[in-house]
C-alpha cells in the first residue's frame, strides 16, 4: 500500500553566489552584535535611510536583508529561529545591528530625526509659518494656490514675494495638497521623520517590543527623587553616619543635650545663661509671693525684662525708708544660699 505524503522541495541547483555572500555577512553580524533592531521600511525614503546610516555608524550597522535570507543566517548562527522572532521577521523590514544599550539606541534614534518635505495627509507637528520675503518661484499658476491659502503676495524682480508672515497650518492640522505644494516652493521641510522601530532581537534568544524598552525619563526622575527623600528620612531615623546625616543630627543632638543639661542644673558655658534666667524668674516669683505675705521685709518685684547672657545682672534696689523704719536686709551669705538652692 502506497503512503501519500506531502512533497518536499529539494534544491538541485547551487545557491547564487550573491545570496551566499549576503548570508555569510549576516552570520558575521549576528556573531559580532548582541542586539538587532527591526524597523519598518514601508514608505521610508532612501534619503532618510541614508541619513540614518551615517548618523548611526558610531553605534552599529544598518543592513537591508531579505527576511528569508536573514532566517537562514540566524539558523546557522544560533541553531534555529524562535517562533516569536520568526513571526516578526517578515515583510518590508530593515535591520540595525548594535552592541549599544537598547534603551539608549531608542533615544539616539529619536534625537536624530531627519527633516523632510510635507506630503498630503501628514499632520503638522507645529504651527507652520510661511515667512515674508522672496521665493524662487516665477509668476504662474502657483499664485492661485498662494491666494487659496490667503497668503498675500506680489510680483517683484520677476519672482513671487510674500508680503507678510502667514500661518498656513496649525499644529495637528492635516497637510493638504495645496499646502504641501506651497511649502515645497518656499523650501520649508516641517516634518521630522525617524526610523519606525518594531522591536529588538535580544541576544538571539527572544524578541522584545519597543514599548517595553521605551524609557519615560520624567517618570524615572520622579521615582529617583522620591527614593532619595525616603532614603534620607530612613538614614536620619537610624542615625546612619554619613556627612549629610551628621550635618543635621549633630546640631539637633547638641540642642537636646543643652536643654537636658539645663533641666538637670548642670553648669556649663551653654547652660549658664539659661540657668541664670531661670533662677531670676523663680526668684522674682518667690519674691512676689513673699512680698504679699510679709510686707515688713520691704520686697518688691521688678518688671524690667530679664537680663540676657550679655547683660550683667543688676541687683534690685529697695525703696528708701525713713531712718526710724530702716532695717537691715538679708546678708550676702543668705542670698548665695538661696540662689544655690534654686540649682
Amino acid at each position: 500500500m502506497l503512503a501519500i505524503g506531502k512533497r518536499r522541495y529539494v534544491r538541485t541547483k547551487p545557491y547564487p553566489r550573491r545570496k551566499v555572500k549576503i548570508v555569510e555577512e549576516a552570520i558575521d553580524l549576528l556573531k559580532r552584535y548582541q542586539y538587532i533592531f527591526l524597523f519598518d521600511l514601508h514608505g521610508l525614503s532612501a534619503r532618510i535611510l541614508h541619513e540614518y546610516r551615517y548618523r548611526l555608524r558610531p553605534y552599529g550597522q544598518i543592513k537591508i536583508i531579505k527576511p528569508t535570507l536573514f532566517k537562514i543566517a540566524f539558523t546557522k548562527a544560533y541553531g534555529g529561529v524562535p517562533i516569536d522572532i520568526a513571526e516578526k521577521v517578515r515583510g518590508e523590514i530593515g535591520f540595525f545591528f548594535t552592541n549599544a544599550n537598547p534603551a539608549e539606541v531608542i533615544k539616539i534614534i529619536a534625537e536624530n530625526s531627519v527633516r523632510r518635505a510635507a506630503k498630503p495627509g501628514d499632520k503638522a507637528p507645529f504651527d507652520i509659518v510661511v515667512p515674508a520675503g522672496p521665493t524662487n518661484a516665477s509668476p504662474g499658476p502657483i499664485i492661485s494656490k498662494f491666494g487659496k491659502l490667503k497668503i498675500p503676495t506680489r510680483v517683484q524682480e520677476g519672482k513671487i514675494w510674500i508680503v507678510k508672515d502667514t500661518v498656513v497650518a496649525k499644529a495637528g492640522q492635516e497637510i493638504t495638497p495645496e499646502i504641501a505644494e506651497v511649502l515645497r516652493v518656499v523650501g520649508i521641510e516641517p516634518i521630522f521623520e525617524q526610523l519606525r522601530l518594531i522591536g529588538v532581537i535580544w541576544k538571539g534568544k527572544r524578541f522584545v517590543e519597543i514599548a517595553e524598552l521605551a524609557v519615560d525619563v520624567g517618570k524615572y526622575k520622579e521615582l529617583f527623587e522620591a527614593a532619595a527623600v525616603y532614603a534620607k528620612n530612613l538614614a536620619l531615623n537610624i542615625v546612619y553616619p554619613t556627612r549629610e546625616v551628621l550635618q543635621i543630627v549633630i546640631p539637633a543632638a547638641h540642642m537636646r543635650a543643652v536643654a537636658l543639661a539645663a533641666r538637670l542644673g548642670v553648669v556649663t558655658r551653654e547652660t549658664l545663661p539659661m540657668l541664670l534666667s531661670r533662677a531670676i524668674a523663680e526668684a522674682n516669683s518667690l519674691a512676689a509671693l513673699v512680698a504679699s505675705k510679709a510686707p515688713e521685709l520691704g520686697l518688691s518685684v521688678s518688671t524690667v525684662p530679664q537680663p540676657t547672657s550679655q547683660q550683667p545682672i543688676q541687683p534690685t534696689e529697695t525703696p528708701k525708708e525713713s531712718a526710724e523704719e530702716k532695717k537691715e536686709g538679708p546678708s550676702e551669705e543668705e542670698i548665695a544660699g538661696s540662689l544655690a538652692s534654686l540649682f
Side-chain angles (χ1 to χ4, degrees):
M1 186 175 181
L2 296 175
I4 300 175
K6 187 177 181 181
R7 294 180 61 183
R8 183 183 178 189
Y9 171 76
V10 178
R11 186 181 182 90
T12 56
K13 294 181 180 181
Y15 287 100
R17 179 59 192 165
R18 179 180 60 83
K19 292 185 178 181
V20 173
K21 185 178 179 181
I22 293 173
V23 171
E24 290 175 352
E25 290 178 353
I27 293 173
D28 179 60
L29 292 171
L30 287 167
K31 291 180 178 179
R32 287 167 52 197
Y33 295 101
Q34 300 183 73
Y35 311 106
I36 303 98
F37 279 87
L38 276 61
F39 59 90
D40 188 6
L41 280 177
H42 183 72
L44 186 68
S45 67
R47 187 175 74 87
I48 303 297
L49 183 60
H50 177 73
E51 284 286 340
Y52 270 106
R53 281 186 191 273
Y54 173 76
R55 297 183 184 186
L56 296 178
R57 193 173 298 168
Y59 308 99
Q61 296 186 44
I62 288 180
K63 289 289 183 181
I64 306 302
I65 307 171
K66 288 187 176 180
T68 303
L69 298 180
F70 179 84
K71 290 178 182 179
I72 293 173
F74 198 94
T75 301
K76 291 182 179 292
Y78 293 104
V81 184
I83 296 176
D84 59 337
I85 296 177
E87 291 178 350
K88 298 296 181 179
V89 181
R90 62 183 180 182
E92 299 180 69
I93 59 172
F95 303 90
F96 174 54
F97 297 83
T98 183
N99 283 323
N101 186 301
E104 187 68 20
V105 170
I106 295 174
K107 183 180 177 182
I108 293 169
I109 290 176
E111 292 175 349
N112 285 274
S113 300
V114 181
R115 275 183 176 269
R116 67 164 175 83
K119 300 177 183 178
D122 287 336
K123 298 291 184 180
F126 45 80
D127 290 353
I128 302 176
V129 179
V130 176
T135 69
N136 292 324
S138 300
I142 190 66
I143 292 181
S144 63
K145 295 184 179 179
F146 280 98
K148 188 175 182 179
L149 297 176
K150 298 181 181 180
I151 302 175
T153 60
R154 71 171 183 268
V155 178
Q156 182 177 335
E157 299 175 358
K159 299 294 182 180
I160 297 176
W161 282 61
I162 299 174
V163 176
K164 66 176 182 179
D165 294 352
T166 307
V167 177
V168 295
K170 293 285 187 179
Q173 180 181 340
E174 184 174 335
I175 303 296
T176 63
E178 291 80 11
I179 295 175
E181 179 65 15
V182 168
L183 293 177
R184 183 189 63 79
V185 169
V186 298
I188 295 178
E189 296 182 336
I191 306 300
F192 290 89
E193 187 171 349
Q194 63 185 49
L195 294 182
R196 297 185 296 274
L197 299 176
I198 301 172
V200 59
I201 298 175
W202 197 279
K203 299 181 179 180
K205 298 179 180 179
R206 63 192 182 95
F207 183 84
V208 181
E209 298 285 350
I210 288 299
E212 298 180 30
L213 296 173
V215 177
D216 186 348
V217 178
K219 180 179 179 180
Y220 277 92
K221 182 180 179 181
E222 293 176 0
L223 291 175
F224 275 112
E225 290 175 350
V229 172
Y230 295 147
K232 185 176 181 180
N233 290 338
L234 176 60
L236 289 172
N237 289 330
I238 66 175
V239 194
Y240 191 76
T242 64
R243 183 178 63 182
E244 294 80 5
V245 172
L246 294 180
Q247 288 175 348
I248 299 174
V249 171
I250 290 178
H254 177 264
M255 292 177 61
R256 289 196 294 270
V258 171
L260 177 60
R263 284 199 299 270
L264 296 177
V266 178
V267 179
T268 66
R269 183 176 62 183
E270 291 85 357
T271 62
L272 186 57
M274 291 185 285
L275 293 174
L276 290 175
S277 297
R278 187 177 70 183
I280 293 172
E282 292 179 353
N284 285 335
S285 298
L286 178 61
L289 182 63
V290 173
S292 61
K293 296 185 178 181
E296 65 275 9
L297 296 178
L299 297 178
S300 64
V301 180
S302 175
T303 58
V304 179
Q306 299 298 331
T308 60
S309 58
Q310 288 78 15
Q311 297 174 339
I313 303 175
Q314 301 294 337
T316 304
E317 295 183 358
T318 58
K320 294 183 178 180
E321 301 177 353
S322 60
E324 294 80 11
E325 297 178 354
K326 184 176 180 181
K327 297 182 180 179
E328 293 185 358
S331 64
E332 294 182 356
E333 291 78 6
E334 292 175 344
I335 295 174
S338 299
L339 289 174
S341 65
L342 294 174
F343 294 102

